[in-house]
Amino acid sequence: MANLADTLDVSASARTANATHAAGASETPDAPHSATDNANPAADWLAKLNAAQREAAEYGADTPNAPSGALLVIAGAGSGKTNTLAHRVANLVVKGADPRRILLLTFSRRAALEMTRRVTRIAGAALGARAALAQGLTWSGTFHSVGARLLREYADLIGLAPAFTINDREDSADLMNLVRHELGLSAKERRFPAKSTCFAIYSRVVNTGASLTHVLDHAFPWCREWEDDLRRLFAAYVDAKQKQSVLDYDDLLLYWSHMAAEPAIAADLSARFDHVLVDEYQDTNRLQASILLALKPDGRGLTVVGDDAQSIYSFRGATVRNILDFPAQFDPPARQITLERNYRSTEPILAASNAVIELASERYTKNLWTDKASAQRPRLVTVADEADQARYVVEQVLEAREQGVKLKSQAVLFRAAHHSAALEVELTRRNIPFVKFGGLKFLDSVHVKDVLAVLRWAENPRDRVAGFRVVQLLPGVGPATAAKVLDEIAARAGGVGGGMNANAATDPTGGLATHPIDTAAAALAAFTPPARAQEDWHPFVKLMSSVYGRQTPWPAEFEMVRRWYEPHLERNHEDAAIRHADVLQMESIAGTYASRERFLTELTLDPPDATSGESGVPLLDEDYLILSTIHSAKGQEWRNVFVLNGVDGCIPSDLGTGSDEDLDEERRLLYVAMTRAREDLHIVVPQRFYVHNQTHMGDRHVWASRTRFIPAHLMPLFDAYAWPRVTLPGAPTAAGLAAAARAKIEIGAKLRKMWD
C-alpha cells in the first residue's frame, strides 16, 4: 500500500495532538503517578474484593505504561465478573494508565455504558481531586461499534467510502433477496433456499472462518446441492454492497480483521491502545479472536474475562475454542486467574450445578462455592405431561407469592420458545400476568425502518435498499417505479463503484466522478412520477435535496424528516398514534448524538426496545412472572427458577446431539439455567408428550426420559419426587394405620386352630 507508513505516522501524530488538546493544560494523564499520590487514604478501595478478584484487578497495574503479559480471568457464574473487570480498569487508571488508551470491548452497548459508569465511579472515588481523569474512557463499546468507528478512521487506507451506511439484519437479507432475484435463482424449478437461509449460510461462513462446503455439510445439509449457486449469489451480494457503499454487521468484523492483518495498520492500531480488555470472551467468534491477536500479538496489555461453562452461542458463530485455547496463544502462556466464589446461589444449587458441568469433555477446572447454606436441594419433579407441568409451575409460583416472593423474582426457563405454550395457556386461564422475552426489536417496526431509511439514503445515496424503501412511501409508487428512480440515479452517476466518499467519487480509472449528492438530487428532480404521486413528489424532492445537502443542522434535520413522514404514517397505518410515539421517541434519542452518521451507526448496532413493537396486549400489572429462553436468560438471576422439559429431546435438543461438541454446548445450557437460581431451583420432567399426525391406530403420545445430563449417580444431589402426590385407591390411610397399630390379634393362633 503506497505511502501507508507515512500516512499512518501523520494520523498518529494528529491523534496525539488532538488528545493533548482535549485533555487541557492542567491534566497530564500520560505522565506516570504513584498509588500513594492518588489512592484514597481514608480506605482501601479494593478491600471489598475477594482474594482472587483483587489479584485480577491488580495484575500488572503497577506498570500501567509497560503492560504485563496476557491475562485470562475465568469467572464462574455469579462470581462478580463485572465488578472485577470494572475494578481492574479503574485500578489501571488510578495507577497512571491513560483512559483514552484503554479499549474496553463488551457485547452490548448497555453493558459498555454500565461498565464505563462503574469505572468512573470507582476510579473517581480513589483518585479524589484527580477524579476528572476517570472521565476519559472513550473507547468503550461493542466489537461492532468500535469496528465501525475504526473503519471510518482508516477508510481511505482500505478502499472504503467513509460515508458508508450499515444494513441491519433484515435489510441485509432484503439485499440478498434482491440479488437472488436478479440472478434468476428465485425462478428455479426446484425450491432454492429462502433469503433468510441464504443470509444465515453467508453469515456462518464469515463468522466461523469455515469453508462454504464445510458449513453446508455440517449446518445446512439440505442446501448442499445449491453450493455452486450459493457461491455465485454470495459473490454478487458482496459486489452489490460495495457498489452501494453499504456494510452489513458481519462486514464490520470482516473489514476490521482484514485491516488488522496488514502489518503497518496493525502496528498503528496496536500503538493506539496500551490495554485491551474483553468481557464475555467465551461468546467471541474466530473473527473477533483474530482481531485481538492482531492488536496484541505478544499479549501485553490484553485481558479477557469469561466462563467456558457458559459458552452457548455457537449458532451465532461463537466458539468455546477461543477461551479454551487462549493461554497457549502466547509465549509465555497467559496468566490465568479463576473466580470461584459465587455470590448468587445456595450451596445445594451450586453442588448440583458443579456436578452437571463436571461431566463435560473439556473445560477449565473450577468448583463454585458459597457461604449461603441451605437445606433445600434442587427439585427434580416428575409430572405426567406438559399440562401437569404447567399446573405444577403455576401452583408453586402462587405458593411462593403467598410467602412474599414477587412474581418478578421468579422465572420459568426453557430450551426453545414453543416449550412454554401450555404454560402460557394456563397462566392466562389463571389470570397470572407474565412477560415472555423475545418481542420485536425497535428496528423491526415498519415505521421506524421507514424513517431510518430516509436518513440512511441521505447519508449514502448509493444505498439501494434504503432508497427502494423510501421512494415506495409515496402514494402510487410501487417497486417498478422505485427501481426506475434508482436506475436513473445510478445512470447519472456513471455506475461508479464503492470507492465513493462523502465529498466526491472516483471512478475505477481514478478520474473524478459526479458528486453523489448532486447526482441523486438532480435525478429525483428530473424524474417524472406517476400521476397519483404528482402531488407528493415535489415535497419529497425538496426534503431529499435538503437532507442530501445537510441544509438543516442535526438534530433539527430529524424533525424535518419526521414532519414529512407523518402524513404517510397516518395514511398507511391504522394505529398511527401509537407508532407516532415511537418516531417521537426516536427523535428524542437522535438529539443525544452529535451527528447523523453517529446516530445511524449506534441505533443500527444496538437498537432500544420499541414502545409498540412488543407482541401481545400492553401489560398494566405491577407484578408479572418472567418467561424466557435459556439463551435470553444468560446474565440474569432470580430467587426461584423453574426449568421446563428436563428430558432428552428438549435438553439436550434432539438437534443438538450430532457431535460431542454439540452435546457439551447443550450441557452448558442446562448449567446456565441452573445457575440463574438464587434460592430455589425446580427442574420439571414430563413423562408424556402429545404428538400429532398419527394414524388412527397410532399412539397419541411419546414417552420421555430424564435428561442424560443428570445421570443416576447425581440423583442424591436433588430432591426427586412425582407430582401430584396421590394416594392410590384402597391404599391404607395414616388414620387407618394408626388404628390398626392399636389393635392386637393373634393370627397365628387362628391358623393353628384351623386344623384342630
Side-chain angles (χ1 to χ4, degrees):
M1 192 177 293
N3 300 321
L4 175 60
D6 293 340
T7 305
L8 290 173
D9 286 343
V10 172
S11 175
S13 300
R15 285 198 304 269
T16 303
N18 290 337
T20 303
H21 176 74
S26 62
E27 298 179 10
T28 55
D30 291 327
H33 46 275
S34 68
T36 304
D37 294 334
N38 298 310
N40 182 354
D44 181 354
W45 60 280
L46 295 174
K48 293 183 178 180
L49 302 181
N50 64 41
Q53 291 174 332
R54 183 158 186 162
E55 182 183 2
E58 293 186 316
Y59 174 73
D62 289 333
T63 56
N65 297 310
S68 302
L71 172 64
L72 168 63
V73 180
I74 299 296
S79 62
K81 167 183 63 69
T82 302
N83 191 44
T84 302
L85 185 58
H87 276 82
R88 173 158 179 74
V89 177
N91 196 41
L92 289 170
V93 175
V94 169
K95 293 297 180 67
D98 184 349
R100 297 163 304 179
R101 295 178 59 81
I102 295 176
L103 173 60
L104 178 59
L105 296 168
T106 65
F107 275 80
S108 75
R109 182 167 172 263
R110 285 173 291 278
L113 291 173
E114 172 61 23
M115 187 70 72
T116 301
R117 282 194 292 266
R118 285 200 190 195
V119 170
T120 302
R121 184 175 66 251
I122 295 167
L127 287 166
R130 296 173 61 85
L133 288 178
Q135 303 289 334
L137 197 63
T138 56
W139 283 94
S140 174
T142 65
F143 272 93
H144 292 87
S145 64
V146 170
R149 186 174 168 186
L150 288 172
L151 290 182
R152 293 195 193 278
E153 292 193 16
Y154 288 87
D156 290 335
L157 300 178
I158 59 176
L160 184 65
F164 67 82
T165 49
I166 303 170
N167 278 352
D168 62 19
R169 297 288 183 189
E170 185 177 333
D171 286 333
S172 298
D174 286 343
L175 180 57
M176 180 77 74
N177 197 41
L178 183 64
V179 175
R180 174 177 174 270
H181 179 72
E182 290 174 349
L183 293 178
L185 297 175
S186 58
K188 292 279 187 181
E189 292 184 3
R190 298 181 62 190
R191 179 175 62 96
F192 190 77
K195 67 174 184 179
S196 57
T197 303
C198 292
F199 187 72
I201 295 171
Y202 170 84
S203 185
R204 177 75 66 105
V205 171
V206 170
N207 284 292
T208 63
S211 67
L212 176 59
T213 301
H214 181 274
V215 168
L216 291 177
D217 285 343
H218 290 81
F220 301 89
W222 62 92
C223 302
R224 195 180 291 125
E225 65 177 298
W226 303 109
E227 179 174 351
D228 291 340
D229 287 324
L230 287 169
R231 198 178 300 277
R232 186 160 58 97
L233 170 63
F234 297 158
Y237 171 68
V238 170
D239 186 57
K241 287 189 295 181
Q242 293 178 358
K243 286 181 178 179
Q244 298 177 31
S245 294
V246 299
L247 303 182
D248 58 32
Y249 280 178
D250 299 326
D251 285 331
L252 297 175
L253 300 181
L254 191 60
Y255 272 73
W256 189 2
S257 165
H258 282 290
M259 183 173 74
E262 167 62 41
I265 298 181
D268 188 66
L269 279 171
S270 180
R272 299 180 68 152
F273 306 110
D274 295 327
H275 299 275
V276 177
L277 303 97
V278 185
D279 194 12
E280 305 286 7
Y281 189 64
Q282 78 280 350
D283 294 334
T284 54
N285 59 37
R286 295 190 184 279
L287 271 179
Q288 291 162 325
S290 70
I291 289 168
L292 292 176
L293 293 177
L295 282 176
K296 297 296 176 184
D298 59 0
R300 292 190 173 277
L302 178 59
T303 298
V304 301
V305 182
D307 181 9
D308 57 297
Q310 297 186 68
S311 179
I312 58 174
Y313 294 118
S314 64
F315 67 93
R316 296 179 183 170
T319 171
V320 71
R321 297 302 333 166
N322 284 349
I323 193 167
L324 291 176
D325 298 339
F326 182 80
Q329 300 285 346
F330 310 99
D331 186 19
R335 173 73 173 279
Q336 182 180 326
I337 299 173
T338 304
L339 308 183
E340 294 183 309
R341 181 174 181 180
N342 179 283
Y343 293 90
R344 175 187 301 158
S345 306
T346 62
E347 189 280 329
I349 291 176
L350 289 184
S353 302
N354 286 335
V356 166
I357 199 63
E358 206 171 69
L359 300 177
S361 60
E362 187 176 6
R363 69 185 187 98
Y364 284 108
T365 301
K366 63 178 178 299
N367 284 293
L368 300 182
W369 64 274
T370 183
D371 54 10
K372 295 175 65 176
S374 174
Q376 178 61 63
R377 290 179 294 184
R379 307 179 197 186
L380 197 61
V381 185
T382 301
V383 297
D385 51 30
E386 290 179 286
D388 268 4
Q389 175 175 246
R391 285 191 287 269
Y392 170 78
V393 170
V394 170
E395 179 183 292
Q396 295 297 315
V397 164
L398 291 178
E399 182 179 326
R401 180 175 177 271
E402 290 302 313
Q403 296 172 358
V405 181
K406 291 184 177 180
L407 294 179
K408 287 182 181 179
S409 298
Q410 305 182 69
V412 184
L413 309 182
F414 30 86
R415 174 65 178 83
H418 66 273
H419 288 175
S420 66
L423 175 61
E424 292 177 47
V425 172
E426 184 68 12
L427 289 170
T428 302
R429 188 179 71 82
R430 301 277 200 104
N431 196 29
I432 300 174
F434 65 91
V435 169
K436 184 176 180 180
F437 282 84
L440 292 175
K441 292 292 186 181
F442 192 76
L443 291 185
D444 292 331
S445 304
V446 173
H447 49 294
V448 172
K449 292 183 72 67
D450 288 344
V451 175
L452 288 180
V454 176
L455 296 173
R456 285 177 47 213
W457 200 28
E459 188 72 17
N460 176 13
R462 291 189 183 277
D463 190 337
R464 193 173 180 90
V465 171
F468 195 70
R469 186 185 192 99
V470 171
V471 178
Q472 291 185 77
L473 291 175
L474 301 177
V477 176
T481 302
K484 290 179 183 178
V485 172
L486 298 177
D487 290 342
E488 177 64 23
I489 293 175
R492 283 175 174 260
V496 180
M500 179 184 70
N501 62 35
N503 300 311
T506 55
D507 62 26
T509 62
L512 187 66
T514 307
H515 194 294
I517 292 174
D518 294 339
T519 296
L524 289 176
F527 187 81
T528 302
R532 281 189 59 200
Q534 287 282 357
E535 183 179 346
D536 294 282
W537 191 258
H538 178 68
F540 172 61
V541 172
K542 182 178 179 181
L543 169 78
M544 295 310 302
S545 297
S546 177
V547 293
Y548 280 145
R550 299 181 186 271
Q551 297 173 11
T552 303
W554 183 264
E557 180 183 67
F558 189 101
E559 180 184 359
M560 180 178 65
V561 172
R562 190 251 304 163
R563 291 185 180 280
W564 171 83
Y565 178 68
E566 282 174 350
H568 301 291
L569 176 66
E570 294 171 359
R571 176 171 51 84
N572 292 323
H573 301 285
E574 293 182 0
D575 58 344
I578 298 176
R579 295 174 184 268
H580 183 252
D582 277 352
V583 180
L584 289 175
Q585 178 188 359
M586 190 162 47
E587 183 175 344
S588 176
I589 295 172
T592 65
Y593 290 90
S595 67
R596 181 174 69 196
E597 173 269 314
R598 209 61 235 143
F599 168 71
L600 289 171
T601 298
E602 294 295 342
L603 197 68
T604 303
L605 294 179
D606 189 36
D609 293 330
T611 58
S612 64
E614 295 292 331
S615 56
V617 296
L619 183 65
L620 303 178
D621 202 286
E622 62 181 9
D623 196 13
Y624 45 83
L625 182 66
I626 304 296
L627 273 58
S628 174
T629 63
I630 300 173
H631 285 101
S632 297
K634 185 170 171 288
Q636 306 297 317
E637 61 181 68
W638 296 273
R639 282 184 63 179
N640 294 356
V641 168
F642 300 83
V643 181
L644 300 186
N645 295 344
V647 299
D648 255 45
C650 294
I651 305 177
S653 164
D654 52 6
L655 297 178
T657 58
S659 66
D660 290 342
E661 291 79 9
D662 292 339
L663 275 174
D664 270 352
E665 177 152 339
E666 293 291 317
R667 189 190 311 275
R668 293 193 292 267
L669 268 169
L670 178 58
Y671 174 81
V672 167
M674 295 174 67
T675 53
R676 299 311 95 194
R678 295 205 302 264
E679 298 176 5
D680 211 354
L681 172 65
H682 306 244
I683 300 177
V684 192
V685 183
Q687 293 182 301
R688 295 184 300 177
F689 288 82
Y690 286 87
V691 294
H692 304 284
N693 302 322
Q694 291 280 13
T695 64
H696 72 283
M697 297 295 290
D699 197 353
R700 291 296 179 182
H701 60 262
V702 295
W703 294 90
S705 60
R706 185 180 70 246
T707 173
R708 70 186 72 181
F709 300 143
I710 305 179
H713 72 274
L714 298 187
M715 291 301 292
L717 297 171
F718 296 84
D719 282 338
Y721 62 88
W723 185 93
R725 300 182 179 184
V726 297
T727 301
L728 295 177
T733 64
L737 288 174
R742 293 192 295 270
K744 291 186 178 181
I745 58 174
E746 289 288 343
I747 296 180
K750 291 179 178 288
L751 295 179
R752 290 193 301 271
K753 199 171 184 179
M754 287 176 60
W755 307 104
D756 287 348

